[in-house]
Amino acid sequence: MLAPLKNLLGNVTMYVALQKALGSDRLRYRCLAELDLHDGDTVIDVGCGPAYYFDRLPAVTYFGFDTSSRYVEHASARYGSDRATFSTEIFGEQHLGVLPPANAVLLLGLLHHLSDDESRSLLRVASRALAPGGRVIAVDTCYAPGQGRISKWMSDNDRGEHVREPAAFEALARESFADVTGEVVDDAIRVPSSFWLMRMATPLHVAAA
């Protein structure tokens, strides 16, 4: 039933329009507000898509990664500058030591598209990419206790193949971070839906040092 709609999301204009029509943009803006970024900070955005929220950022040094060439081409054309670089690559260990340490790593709508092993690998790399005091924030479609019928239907039919319960997302994060907090957000968009907003800090390799 949702297959035609999911195919349309490959179109950048349709994707951004749908995000704003549903109110999903407000959820991403909330994540940015949680980070309280400042001019001069470094941000790594993994799964950045067309990065339509870039104008909401202060004067940061920004590195956006996405595997969709359409999204990256759009973002580069619109936002590429001396402080924004977009890459059609999978962010991984090969970028550690090449990119400057990040004050924030964004994983917005990404982990529920990745398997447990892929999520573990990404979270481990993200933990090592942080500057001292840096943080990672993630938000994903989830299955939540007491979730309504429409909300559960939305979770069941999400494009992501790894929609999880909050405890499962948190368990993956705790393999790389000592400080993990989160909350279910079910009032962010205009259609009943449940999302897990998760904050991660204090990488375990730092805590153990």
Side-chain angles (χ1 to χ4, degrees):
M1 180 177 179
L2 289 182
L5 178 59
K6 291 177 180 179
N7 289 335
L8 282 175
L9 295 180
N11 180 290
V12 178
T13 302
M14 287 296 298
Y15 172 79
V16 175
L18 183 62
Q19 289 278 301
K20 294 185 176 182
L22 292 175
S24 299
D25 56 334
R26 296 181 299 185
L27 185 58
R28 282 164 168 72
Y29 300 154
R30 175 172 172 175
C31 291
L32 298 182
E34 291 257 350
L35 290 169
D36 189 28
L37 296 167
H38 298 91
D39 290 353
D41 283 351
T42 295
V43 174
I44 297 174
D45 188 357
V46 187
C48 64
Y52 62 82
Y53 41 81
F54 182 80
D55 286 335
R56 293 279 182 131
L57 297 170
V60 300
T61 298
Y62 174 99
F63 300 93
F65 292 86
D66 202 280
T67 57
S68 168
S69 58
R70 285 184 183 179
Y71 287 164
V72 168
E73 288 168 7
H74 174 89
S76 295
R78 183 159 187 177
Y79 305 115
S81 67
D82 58 352
R83 67 183 184 90
T85 302
F86 296 90
S87 303
T88 311
E89 298 180 52
I90 295 176
F91 176 69
E93 291 186 2
Q94 69 273 21
H95 296 103
L96 297 177
V98 176
L99 301 182
N103 301 98
V105 175
L106 312 182
L107 308 176
L108 307 184
L110 180 59
L111 294 179
H112 71 287
H113 290 278
L114 304 180
S115 69
D116 284 0
D117 284 345
E118 291 168 332
S119 295
R120 286 189 184 96
S121 177
L122 174 58
L123 291 168
R124 182 172 60 252
V125 173
S127 74
R128 294 185 174 277
L130 291 178
R135 292 175 292 167
V136 178
I137 194 161
V139 66
D140 289 278
T141 304
C142 72
Y143 289 109
Q147 188 173 21
R149 188 173 4 178
I150 296 176
S151 177
K152 184 177 184 304
W153 186 89
M154 293 291 289
S155 296
D156 287 339
N157 289 277
D158 191 277
R159 285 194 298 166
E161 298 181 356
H162 301 279
V163 176
R164 304 172 175 89
E165 294 183 355
F169 284 112
E170 186 171 342
L172 289 168
R174 289 195 178 280
E175 294 183 22
S176 294
F177 296 91
D179 183 6
V180 179
T181 62
E183 62 192 91
V184 173
V185 178
D186 55 15
D187 59 354
I189 72 172
R190 298 184 176 95
V191 178
S193 304
S194 295
F195 301 91
W196 178 243
L197 191 158
M198 184 164 61
R199 314 166 193 88
M200 292 155 273
T202 318
L204 289 180
H205 71 275
V206 173

